[in-house]
PDB file of all heavy atoms in Angstrom:
ATOM      1  N   ALA A 608      97.102  53.931 123.188  1.00 77.00           N
ATOM      2  CA  ALA A 608      95.858  53.202 123.478  1.00 77.00           C
ATOM      3  C   ALA A 608      96.064  52.150 124.563  1.00 77.00           C
ATOM      4  O   ALA A 608      95.304  51.176 124.641  1.00 77.00           O
ATOM      5  CB  ALA A 608      95.335  52.554 122.196  1.00 77.00           C
ATOM      6  N   ALA A 609      97.069  52.335 125.406  1.00 80.00           N
ATOM      7  CA  ALA A 609      97.358  51.346 126.452  1.00 80.00           C
ATOM      8  C   ALA A 609      96.159  51.173 127.383  1.00 80.00           C
ATOM      9  O   ALA A 609      95.508  52.156 127.777  1.00 80.00           O
ATOM     10  CB  ALA A 609      98.583  51.780 127.247  1.00 80.00           C
ATOM     11  N   LEU A 610      95.853  49.926 127.722  1.00 80.00           N
ATOM     12  CA  LEU A 610      94.729  49.635 128.603  1.00 80.00           C
ATOM     13  C   LEU A 610      95.073  50.006 130.045  1.00 80.00           C
ATOM     14  O   LEU A 610      96.217  49.873 130.493  1.00 80.00           O
ATOM     15  CB  LEU A 610      94.379  48.152 128.515  1.00 80.00           C
ATOM     16  CG  LEU A 610      93.877  47.659 127.147  1.00 80.00           C
ATOM     17  CD1 LEU A 610      93.668  46.146 127.183  1.00 80.00           C
ATOM     18  CD2 LEU A 610      92.597  48.373 126.749  1.00 80.00           C
ATOM     19  N   LEU A 611      94.064  50.479 130.774  1.00 80.00           N
ATOM     20  CA  LEU A 611      94.274  50.834 132.174  1.00 80.00           C
ATOM     21  C   LEU A 611      94.459  49.580 133.017  1.00 80.00           C
ATOM     22  O   LEU A 611      93.751  48.583 132.823  1.00 80.00           O
ATOM     23  CB  LEU A 611      93.074  51.620 132.705  1.00 80.00           C
ATOM     24  CG  LEU A 611      92.873  53.029 132.159  1.00 80.00           C
ATOM     25  CD1 LEU A 611      91.525  53.566 132.632  1.00 80.00           C
ATOM     26  CD2 LEU A 611      93.989  53.938 132.621  1.00 80.00           C
ATOM     27  N   PRO A 612      95.372  49.590 133.968  1.00 81.00           N
ATOM     28  CA  PRO A 612      95.510  48.450 134.881  1.00 81.00           C
ATOM     29  C   PRO A 612      94.359  48.463 135.888  1.00 81.00           C
ATOM     30  O   PRO A 612      93.671  49.472 136.058  1.00 81.00           O
ATOM     31  CB  PRO A 612      96.855  48.718 135.563  1.00 81.00           C
ATOM     32  CG  PRO A 612      97.005  50.198 135.509  1.00 81.00           C
ATOM     33  CD  PRO A 612      96.363  50.646 134.239  1.00 81.00           C
ATOM     34  N   LYS A 613      94.160  47.349 136.575  1.00 78.00           N
ATOM     35  CA  LYS A 613      93.095  47.294 137.576  1.00 78.00           C
ATOM     36  C   LYS A 613      93.472  48.050 138.848  1.00 78.00           C
ATOM     37  O   LYS A 613      92.625  48.581 139.552  1.00 78.00           O
ATOM     38  CB  LYS A 613      92.773  45.831 137.906  1.00 78.00           C
ATOM     39  CG  LYS A 613      92.126  45.076 136.757  1.00 78.00           C
ATOM     40  CD  LYS A 613      91.778  43.656 137.173  1.00 78.00           C
ATOM     41  CE  LYS A 613      91.121  42.905 136.016  1.00 78.00           C
ATOM     42  NZ  LYS A 613      90.771  41.505 136.381  1.00 78.00           N
ATOM     43  N   GLN A 614      94.764  48.066 139.156  1.00 81.00           N
ATOM     44  CA  GLN A 614      95.271  48.798 140.313  1.00 81.00           C
ATOM     45  C   GLN A 614      96.367  49.749 139.821  1.00 81.00           C
ATOM     46  O   GLN A 614      97.076  49.429 138.869  1.00 81.00           O
ATOM     47  CB  GLN A 614      95.851  47.849 141.362  1.00 81.00           C
ATOM     48  CG  GLN A 614      94.845  46.901 141.984  1.00 81.00           C
ATOM     49  CD  GLN A 614      93.979  47.581 143.023  1.00 81.00           C
ATOM     50  OE1 GLN A 614      94.391  48.578 143.617  1.00 81.00           O
ATOM     51  NE2 GLN A 614      92.783  47.062 143.249  1.00 81.00           N
ATOM     52  N   GLY A 615      96.494  50.898 140.461  1.00 83.00           N
ATOM     53  CA  GLY A 615      97.539  51.833 140.045  1.00 83.00           C
ATOM     54  C   GLY A 615      97.867  52.847 141.116  1.00 83.00           C
ATOM     55  O   GLY A 615      97.140  53.002 142.109  1.00 83.00           O
ATOM     56  N   HIS A 616      98.981  53.518 140.939  1.00 90.00           N
ATOM     57  CA  HIS A 616      99.408  54.589 141.842  1.00 90.00           C
ATOM     58  C   HIS A 616      99.041  55.929 141.204  1.00 90.00           C
ATOM     59  O   HIS A 616      99.395  56.188 140.051  1.00 90.00           O
ATOM     60  CB  HIS A 616     100.919  54.537 142.076  1.00 90.00           C
ATOM     61  CG  HIS A 616     101.407  53.193 142.546  1.00 90.00           C
ATOM     62  ND1 HIS A 616     101.215  52.732 143.829  1.00 90.00           N
ATOM     63  CD2 HIS A 616     102.081  52.209 141.896  1.00 90.00           C
ATOM     64  CE1 HIS A 616     101.756  51.538 143.963  1.00 90.00           C
ATOM     65  NE2 HIS A 616     102.282  51.191 142.793  1.00 90.00           N
ATOM     66  N   VAL A 617      98.351  56.764 141.960  1.00 91.00           N
ATOM     67  CA  VAL A 617      97.938  58.075 141.451  1.00 91.00           C
ATOM     68  C   VAL A 617      98.712  59.163 142.195  1.00 91.00           C
ATOM     69  O   VAL A 617      98.704  59.211 143.431  1.00 91.00           O
ATOM     70  CB  VAL A 617      96.422  58.300 141.622  1.00 91.00           C
ATOM     71  CG1 VAL A 617      96.045  59.716 141.187  1.00 91.00           C
ATOM     72  CG2 VAL A 617      95.656  57.268 140.800  1.00 91.00           C
ATOM     73  N   VAL A 618      99.388  60.008 141.421  1.00 93.00           N
ATOM     74  CA  VAL A 618     100.090  61.170 141.980  1.00 93.00           C
ATOM     75  C   VAL A 618      99.224  62.393 141.689  1.00 93.00           C
ATOM     76  O   VAL A 618      98.987  62.728 140.519  1.00 93.00           O
ATOM     77  CB  VAL A 618     101.487  61.343 141.347  1.00 93.00           C
ATOM     78  CG1 VAL A 618     102.193  62.550 141.962  1.00 93.00           C
ATOM     79  CG2 VAL A 618     102.315  60.083 141.522  1.00 93.00           C
ATOM     80  N   VAL A 619      98.718  63.031 142.737  1.00 92.00           N
ATOM     81  CA  VAL A 619      97.862  64.215 142.559  1.00 92.00           C
ATOM     82  C   VAL A 619      98.754  65.431 142.348  1.00 92.00           C
ATOM     83  O   VAL A 619      99.603  65.756 143.197  1.00 92.00           O
ATOM     84  CB  VAL A 619      96.933  64.420 143.769  1.00 92.00           C
ATOM     85  CG1 VAL A 619      96.046  65.649 143.550  1.00 92.00           C
ATOM     86  CG2 VAL A 619      96.079  63.179 143.991  1.00 92.00           C
ATOM     87  N   ILE A 620      98.554  66.083 141.220  1.00 89.00           N
ATOM     88  CA  ILE A 620      99.396  67.203 140.801  1.00 89.00           C
ATOM     89  C   ILE A 620      98.585  68.496 140.802  1.00 89.00           C
ATOM     90  O   ILE A 620      97.427  68.509 140.389  1.00 89.00           O
ATOM     91  CB  ILE A 620      99.942  66.943 139.374  1.00 89.00           C
ATOM     92  CG1 ILE A 620     100.864  65.718 139.361  1.00 89.00           C
ATOM     93  CG2 ILE A 620     100.669  68.162 138.836  1.00 89.00           C
ATOM     94  CD1 ILE A 620     102.136  65.905 140.147  1.00 89.00           C
ATOM     95  N   GLN A 621      99.223  69.577 141.260  1.00 82.00           N
ATOM     96  CA  GLN A 621      98.592  70.903 141.239  1.00 82.00           C
ATOM     97  C   GLN A 621      99.336  71.781 140.250  1.00 82.00           C
ATOM     98  O   GLN A 621     100.552  71.916 140.290  1.00 82.00           O
ATOM     99  CB  GLN A 621      98.647  71.546 142.632  1.00 82.00           C
ATOM    100  CG  GLN A 621      98.058  72.937 142.697  1.00 82.00           C
ATOM    101  CD  GLN A 621      96.724  72.962 143.423  1.00 82.00           C
ATOM    102  OE1 GLN A 621      96.424  72.060 144.183  1.00 82.00           O
ATOM    103  NE2 GLN A 621      95.936  73.980 143.172  1.00 82.00           N
ATOM    104  N   SER A 622      98.573  72.399 139.337  1.00 74.00           N
ATOM    105  CA  SER A 622      99.148  73.359 138.390  1.00 74.00           C
ATOM    106  C   SER A 622      98.217  74.558 138.350  1.00 74.00           C
ATOM    107  O   SER A 622      97.141  74.502 137.755  1.00 74.00           O
ATOM    108  CB  SER A 622      99.275  72.739 137.000  1.00 74.00           C
ATOM    109  OG  SER A 622      99.764  73.683 136.069  1.00 74.00           O
ATOM    110  N   GLY A 623      98.641  75.661 139.015  1.00 66.00           N
ATOM    111  CA  GLY A 623      97.736  76.796 139.166  1.00 66.00           C
ATOM    112  C   GLY A 623      96.581  76.374 140.057  1.00 66.00           C
ATOM    113  O   GLY A 623      96.763  75.840 141.143  1.00 66.00           O
ATOM    114  N   THR A 624      95.346  76.586 139.594  1.00 67.00           N
ATOM    115  CA  THR A 624      94.175  76.130 140.354  1.00 67.00           C
ATOM    116  C   THR A 624      93.718  74.760 139.888  1.00 67.00           C
ATOM    117  O   THR A 624      92.797  74.178 140.451  1.00 67.00           O
ATOM    118  CB  THR A 624      93.015  77.126 140.188  1.00 67.00           C
ATOM    119  OG1 THR A 624      92.713  77.265 138.799  1.00 67.00           O
ATOM    120  CG2 THR A 624      93.377  78.473 140.762  1.00 67.00           C
ATOM    121  N   GLN A 625      94.352  74.227 138.847  1.00 77.00           N
ATOM    122  CA  GLN A 625      93.966  72.938 138.290  1.00 77.00           C
ATOM    123  C   GLN A 625      94.617  71.809 139.067  1.00 77.00           C
ATOM    124  O   GLN A 625      95.822  71.816 139.318  1.00 77.00           O
ATOM    125  CB  GLN A 625      94.366  72.870 136.815  1.00 77.00           C
ATOM    126  CG  GLN A 625      93.813  71.670 136.073  1.00 77.00           C
ATOM    127  CD  GLN A 625      94.165  71.714 134.599  1.00 77.00           C
ATOM    128  OE1 GLN A 625      95.097  72.417 134.196  1.00 77.00           O
ATOM    129  NE2 GLN A 625      93.429  70.959 133.788  1.00 77.00           N
ATOM    130  N   LYS A 626      93.794  70.815 139.442  1.00 85.00           N
ATOM    131  CA  LYS A 626      94.303  69.661 140.171  1.00 85.00           C
ATOM    132  C   LYS A 626      93.917  68.397 139.400  1.00 85.00           C
ATOM    133  O   LYS A 626      92.743  68.194 139.075  1.00 85.00           O
ATOM    134  CB  LYS A 626      93.721  69.630 141.585  1.00 85.00           C
ATOM    135  CG  LYS A 626      94.400  68.653 142.524  1.00 85.00           C
ATOM    136  CD  LYS A 626      93.768  68.686 143.908  1.00 85.00           C
ATOM    137  CE  LYS A 626      94.145  69.936 144.678  1.00 85.00           C
ATOM    138  NZ  LYS A 626      93.679  69.882 146.080  1.00 85.00           N
ATOM    139  N   VAL A 627      94.911  67.556 139.076  1.00 89.00           N
ATOM    140  CA  VAL A 627      94.655  66.340 138.309  1.00 89.00           C
ATOM    141  C   VAL A 627      95.441  65.192 138.932  1.00 89.00           C
ATOM    142  O   VAL A 627      96.356  65.405 139.738  1.00 89.00           O
ATOM    143  CB  VAL A 627      95.057  66.501 136.818  1.00 89.00           C
ATOM    144  CG1 VAL A 627      94.296  67.637 136.170  1.00 89.00           C
ATOM    145  CG2 VAL A 627      96.565  66.701 136.680  1.00 89.00           C
ATOM    146  N   GLY A 628      95.088  63.963 138.530  1.00 90.00           N
ATOM    147  CA  GLY A 628      95.809  62.788 138.991  1.00 90.00           C
ATOM    148  C   GLY A 628      96.568  62.147 137.845  1.00 90.00           C
ATOM    149  O   GLY A 628      96.007  61.918 136.771  1.00 90.00           O
ATOM    150  N   PHE A 629      97.857  61.884 138.034  1.00 91.00           N
ATOM    151  CA  PHE A 629      98.677  61.180 137.052  1.00 91.00           C
ATOM    152  C   PHE A 629      98.805  59.718 137.494  1.00 91.00           C
ATOM    153  O   PHE A 629      99.331  59.431 138.584  1.00 91.00           O
ATOM    154  CB  PHE A 629     100.073  61.804 136.946  1.00 91.00           C
ATOM    155  CG  PHE A 629     100.109  63.105 136.196  1.00 91.00           C
ATOM    156  CD1 PHE A 629     101.224  63.924 136.270  1.00 91.00           C
ATOM    157  CD2 PHE A 629      99.043  63.514 135.411  1.00 91.00           C
ATOM    158  CE1 PHE A 629     101.284  65.123 135.576  1.00 91.00           C
ATOM    159  CE2 PHE A 629      99.086  64.723 134.706  1.00 91.00           C
ATOM    160  CZ  PHE A 629     100.201  65.526 134.799  1.00 91.00           C
ATOM    161  N   LEU A 630      98.325  58.814 136.664  1.00 90.00           N
ATOM    162  CA  LEU A 630      98.433  57.388 136.943  1.00 90.00           C
ATOM    163  C   LEU A 630      99.791  56.891 136.460  1.00 90.00           C
ATOM    164  O   LEU A 630     100.168  57.089 135.304  1.00 90.00           O
ATOM    165  CB  LEU A 630      97.307  56.634 136.227  1.00 90.00           C
ATOM    166  CG  LEU A 630      97.239  55.124 136.444  1.00 90.00           C
ATOM    167  CD1 LEU A 630      96.968  54.796 137.913  1.00 90.00           C
ATOM    168  CD2 LEU A 630      96.164  54.505 135.550  1.00 90.00           C
ATOM    169  N   VAL A 631     100.583  56.274 137.371  1.00 91.00           N
ATOM    170  CA  VAL A 631     101.924  55.795 137.027  1.00 91.00           C
ATOM    171  C   VAL A 631     102.032  54.314 137.351  1.00 91.00           C
ATOM    172  O   VAL A 631     101.231  53.766 138.130  1.00 91.00           O
ATOM    173  CB  VAL A 631     103.018  56.595 137.775  1.00 91.00           C
ATOM    174  CG1 VAL A 631     102.947  58.067 137.422  1.00 91.00           C
ATOM    175  CG2 VAL A 631     102.894  56.404 139.288  1.00 91.00           C
ATOM    176  N   ASP A 632     103.018  53.658 136.752  1.00 89.00           N
ATOM    177  CA  ASP A 632     103.187  52.213 136.958  1.00 89.00           C
ATOM    178  C   ASP A 632     103.845  51.886 138.294  1.00 89.00           C
ATOM    179  O   ASP A 632     103.534  50.865 138.918  1.00 89.00           O
ATOM    180  CB  ASP A 632     104.022  51.612 135.820  1.00 89.00           C
ATOM    181  CG  ASP A 632     103.312  51.701 134.479  1.00 89.00           C
ATOM    182  OD1 ASP A 632     102.066  51.823 134.478  1.00 89.00           O
ATOM    183  OD2 ASP A 632     103.990  51.675 133.439  1.00 89.00           O
ATOM    184  N   ALA A 633     104.785  52.725 138.736  1.00 90.00           N
ATOM    185  CA  ALA A 633     105.489  52.446 139.994  1.00 90.00           C
ATOM    186  C   ALA A 633     106.015  53.741 140.595  1.00 90.00           C
ATOM    187  O   ALA A 633     106.312  54.705 139.874  1.00 90.00           O
ATOM    188  CB  ALA A 633     106.640  51.473 139.753  1.00 90.00           C
ATOM    189  N   LEU A 634     106.102  53.766 141.917  1.00 91.00           N
ATOM    190  CA  LEU A 634     106.691  54.891 142.653  1.00 91.00           C
ATOM    191  C   LEU A 634     108.066  54.474 143.142  1.00 91.00           C
ATOM    192  O   LEU A 634     108.210  53.442 143.799  1.00 91.00           O
ATOM    193  CB  LEU A 634     105.815  55.268 143.853  1.00 91.00           C
ATOM    194  CG  LEU A 634     104.386  55.732 143.547  1.00 91.00           C
ATOM    195  CD1 LEU A 634     103.590  55.841 144.837  1.00 91.00           C
ATOM    196  CD2 LEU A 634     104.408  57.079 142.827  1.00 91.00           C
ATOM    197  N   ILE A 635     109.103  55.262 142.809  1.00 90.00           N
ATOM    198  CA  ILE A 635     110.470  54.928 143.216  1.00 90.00           C
ATOM    199  C   ILE A 635     110.837  55.637 144.510  1.00 90.00           C
ATOM    200  O   ILE A 635     111.480  55.083 145.390  1.00 90.00           O
ATOM    201  CB  ILE A 635     111.467  55.286 142.096  1.00 90.00           C
ATOM    202  CG1 ILE A 635     111.135  54.450 140.857  1.00 90.00           C
ATOM    203  CG2 ILE A 635     112.905  55.058 142.534  1.00 90.00           C
ATOM    204  CD1 ILE A 635     111.923  54.820 139.631  1.00 90.00           C
TER     205      ILE A 635
END
Side-chain angles (χ1 to χ4, degrees):
L610 296 176
L611 291 171
K613 292 183 180 180
Q614 296 283 335
H616 306 285
V617 175
V618 181
V619 181
I620 296 294
Q621 178 107 21
S622 177
T624 57
Q625 190 176 20
K626 192 180 286 188
V627 301
F629 285 166
L630 182 63
V631 300
D632 295 338
L634 299 171
I635 298 173

